[in-house]
Amino acid sequence: MKKIIFLALIFVNMSAFAQRQTPRELVDDFFEAFHAQDTTELKTFAHEGARLESVSIDAEGSTKLITGDYSKFLKGIASIPADATFEEKLHEFRVEENGPLATVTTPYSFYYNGAFSHCGVNSFQLVQFNGKWKIVYLIDTRTTQDCD
């Protein structure tokens, strides 16, 4: 009986630990699923209605803002050809947490089929719901200049 209680306590503690994923761990897991094109797993990281935006500067020097929703992002990931390769190399993580709100910023370089495509910064806005972090907003910048 003591063994059963002991195992039950271990299981409860492991379940509680799994619920306490950190903001950085969520973003790490997001990119692991992203590179695997695992849209089923990617869907679990976002709160329903999560928004995505991308900022860039066009040839005339004007700032462009493209807005989409998370489901459109998932469809885009699913549509990448199986023979294509892509990698988003993250250069660092900056994490700010305040209670149930967190911001994770990750400068990156993106490569498609082994060739440099663009660089920028991702900014993930996360909210903790019932002990679990979820993406509610993701904005990134994209440029091909000053990518050192």
Side-chain angles (χ1 to χ4, degrees):
M1 184 67 170
K2 288 182 183 180
K3 287 182 182 180
I4 293 173
I5 292 171
F6 178 73
L7 290 173
L9 287 173
I10 289 175
F11 178 73
V12 168
N13 285 333
M14 286 174 51
S15 296
F17 179 74
Q19 290 295 318
R20 286 188 237 146
Q21 176 183 47
T22 68
R24 178 176 174 148
E25 289 170 335
L26 178 125
V27 173
D28 276 332
D29 292 346
F30 169 90
F31 279 104
E32 186 176 316
F34 174 72
H35 291 124
Q37 290 181 266
D38 186 347
T39 56
T40 302
E41 185 71 11
L42 283 168
K43 188 174 182 179
T44 68
F45 299 127
H47 188 267
E48 187 177 328
R51 283 190 23 200
L52 279 78
E53 293 188 315
S54 186
V55 179
S56 61
I57 307 293
D58 67 15
E60 291 79 38
S62 299
T63 301
K64 299 294 177 191
L65 180 66
I66 299 170
T67 302
D69 62 25
Y70 200 76
S71 62
K72 185 177 179 184
F73 163 74
L74 294 175
K75 288 176 187 171
I77 296 301
S79 71
I80 296 172
D83 61 342
T85 62
F86 61 97
E87 180 181 15
E88 188 155 332
K89 292 182 181 180
L90 304 180
H91 303 298
E92 70 177 290
F93 282 81
R94 296 179 208 131
V95 180
E96 290 185 43
E97 250 184 273
N98 188 341
L101 178 67
T103 301
V104 180
T105 307
T106 59
Y108 72 90
S109 298
F110 189 83
Y111 298 83
Y112 190 78
N113 287 330
F116 174 78
S117 171
H118 61 277
C119 66
V121 174
N122 299 308
S123 179
F124 291 83
Q125 304 301 306
L126 310 175
V127 174
Q128 193 175 45
F129 297 95
N130 300 318
K132 190 163 186 152
W133 291 101
K134 295 283 187 175
I135 299 166
V136 295
Y137 181 65
L138 171 55
I139 189 166
D140 67 68
T141 59
R142 296 181 191 185
T143 186
T144 56
Q145 300 175 358
D146 300 323
C147 292
D148 305 5

